Amino acid sequence: MYGKKVWIFPDAELPPEGVNCIPGHESVIITNVCDCEAEIIVTLIYTGRDPVRFTVTVDSMRVRCLRSNNTEDFCGHTAVEGEQYAIMLESNVPIVAQYGRVEPRAVSFYTTPGYCE
């Protein structure tokens, strides 16, 4: 079986607009290779305010992208530009997750697999 049930991405931050009006972007990409739907509790952990929790699903043998600036992806929530936070995913089945950020201030893109257990 591929994947893990708990993933933590400690360095999340929606970057501001950068050079040449390039918008900032960040997302968590979740892949479910199990034969059943994944139900995932997403917890956004902040430095100066209470955590936010919501649930998303990813169908069997599907991938889902959660964009932090899209209220549909974040179940009515959005990241605040420039605010440091962490993302924790807790799934009922093993999943594979990755965090990505377009950093327009330096015109770069990077991804990280995060910590999993």
Side-chain angles (χ1 to χ4, degrees):
M1 182 63 56
Y2 299 101
K4 299 291 183 180
K5 291 185 175 183
V6 177
W7 291 82
I8 299 173
F9 302 93
D11 182 25
E13 176 192 355
L14 179 62
E17 186 177 281
V19 297
N20 298 322
C21 300
I22 298 171
H25 168 83
E26 70 172 344
S27 60
V28 174
I29 299 87
I30 302 168
T31 304
N32 176 12
V33 295
C34 292
D35 59 1
C36 63
E37 179 181 85
E39 185 173 298
I40 302 156
I41 298 169
V42 179
T43 304
L44 308 178
I45 303 166
Y46 298 94
T47 57
R49 60 181 167 124
D50 291 338
V52 171
R53 287 188 177 83
F54 55 90
T55 302
V56 298
T57 58
V58 180
D59 290 335
S60 172
M61 297 304 292
R62 295 289 187 263
V63 64
R64 181 166 179 187
C65 178
L66 304 178
R67 294 168 301 254
S68 68
N69 62 344
N70 184 326
T71 58
E72 291 178 21
D73 291 344
F74 261 43
C75 295
H77 305 281
T78 58
V80 176
E81 187 178 286
E83 182 178 28
Q84 185 70 43
Y85 68 104
I87 301 168
M88 181 168 62
L89 308 175
E90 299 171 280
S91 179
N92 63 323
V93 297
I95 57 173
V96 175
Q98 176 176 306
Y99 172 85
R101 181 187 302 159
V102 172
E103 181 50 80
R105 293 170 285 194
V107 190
S108 62
F109 177 76
Y110 69 89
T111 63
T112 180
Y115 170 82
C116 62
E117 188 170 290

